[in-house]
């Protein structure tokens, strides 16, 4: 099993194997962290695009990428309806609690406590995503507050990696995210959704879950899981 986890700034990541590249929340254009690191929507060629919810800082460059790369979209039912209306043919809708097998492994949709809209349109339930890629299980919590059933998500899916928002105000802050990691019990936790703007500028050193390894990725950096 092996997967390359690359951080693109904010909540955007790619999960890459020799055969697949899954972009999660590919917000590059207008993402100050990505732009500072010289990353653009031309920097990635995803086979799949997985979206946690419909906010603009997560949908990002999805339509342009899916059009250029022919990427399959994995997202809430309403986001897939919207994408189909925009001419994207390969959509894989889901909703919290659901799981399905993919050509790279599998995807499960979890709950997230947040909102989800785009240009005034309801975009369905916000979600977290559990992706099994290259034999590695990765839980991207999306934008969410802390909730006790994160322990259940940990039990059900046993993620190797948990990617958690820590920027506060719109999501968990670092202390709540630390509690989340302690409940999920992944092999490793990666913080995201902080420092992009002043509103979510927190000290990431405050994300310090007990007994869980934290890997803080620089924007553009890759962590290889073998
Ligand atoms: Ni959001
Ligand atoms: Mn967000």
């Amino acid at each position: 099993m092996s997967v390359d986890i690359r951080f693109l700034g904010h909540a955007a990541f790619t999960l890459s194997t020799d055969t697949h590249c899954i972009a999660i929340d590919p917000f590059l254009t207008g993402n100050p962290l990505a732009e500072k690191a010289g990353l653009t929507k031309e920097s990635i060629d995803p086979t799949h695009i997985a979206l946690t919810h419909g906010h603009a800082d997560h949908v990002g460059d999805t339509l342009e990428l899916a059009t250029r790369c022919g990427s399959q979209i994995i997202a809430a039912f309403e986001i897939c309806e919207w994408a189909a209306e925009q001419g994207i043919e390969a959509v894989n809708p889901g909703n919290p609690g659901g799981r399905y097998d993919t050509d790279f492994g599998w995807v499960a949709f979890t709950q997230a406590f947040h909102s989800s809209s785009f240009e005034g349109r309801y975009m369905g339930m916000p979600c977290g995503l559990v992706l099994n890629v290259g034999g590695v299980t990765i839980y991207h919590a999306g934008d969410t507050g802390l909730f006790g059933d994160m322990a259940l998500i940990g039990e059900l899916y046993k993620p190797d990696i948990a990617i958690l928002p820590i920027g506060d105000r719109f999501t968990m802050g670092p202390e709540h995210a630390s509690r989340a990691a302690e409940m999920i019990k992944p092999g490793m936790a990666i913080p995201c959704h902080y420092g992009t703007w002043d509103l979510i500028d927190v000290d990431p050193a405050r994300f310090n879950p007990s007994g869980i390894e934290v890997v803080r990725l620089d924007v553009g950096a890759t962590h290889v899981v073998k």
Side-chain angles (χ1 to χ4, degrees), residues 109-172:
F109 299 83
T110 73
Q111 66 181 22
F113 281 95
H114 194 64
S115 57
S116 183
S117 60
F118 187 75
E119 296 171 350
R121 174 171 172 157
Y122 172 65
M123 290 292 241
M125 285 279 284
C127 295
L129 298 168
V130 189
L131 300 108
N132 183 264
V133 186
V136 179
T137 303
I138 298 155
Y139 169 42
H140 188 307
D143 281 5
T144 186
L146 180 64
F147 53 92
D149 277 351
M150 284 181 175
L152 184 59
I153 291 170
E155 253 179 62
L156 290 173
Y157 299 113
K158 299 182 174 50
D160 300 298
I161 316 273
I163 298 173
L164 301 172
I166 68 161
D168 220 338
R169 183 178 283 253
F170 302 106
T171 69
M172 299 185 283

Side-chain angles (χ1 to χ4, degrees), residues 51-53 74-81 92-95 109 116 123-127:
L51 300 178
T52 60
H53 64 296
I74 298 163
F77 176 78
E78 289 81 358
I79 294 178
C80 287
E81 273 192 324
N92 299 274
N95 246 325
F109 299 83
S116 183
M123 290 292 241
M125 285 279 284
C127 295

Side-chain angles (χ1 to χ4, degrees), residues 34-137:
E35 288 178 352
K36 202 169 148 204
L39 296 167
T40 70
K41 64 177 186 291
E42 312 301 329
S43 307
I44 58 172
D45 300 285
T47 55
H48 298 71
I49 298 171
L51 300 178
T52 60
H53 64 296
H55 286 157
D57 58 320
H58 298 258
V59 171
D61 297 303
T62 292
L63 291 181
E64 296 88 339
L65 283 168
T67 302
R68 175 170 63 80
C69 305
S71 327
Q72 291 193 39
I73 292 181
I74 298 163
F77 176 78
E78 289 81 358
I79 294 178
C80 287
E81 273 192 324
W82 166 81
E85 285 170 25
Q86 314 301 313
I88 307 301
E89 285 171 10
V91 295
N92 299 274
N95 246 325
R99 195 205 71 95
Y100 77 101
D101 291 325
T102 65
D103 46 3
F104 57 77
W106 50 262
V107 172
F109 299 83
T110 73
Q111 66 181 22
F113 281 95
H114 194 64
S115 57
S116 183
S117 60
F118 187 75
E119 296 171 350
R121 174 171 172 157
Y122 172 65
M123 290 292 241
M125 285 279 284
C127 295
L129 298 168
V130 189
L131 300 108
N132 183 264
V133 186
V136 179
T137 303

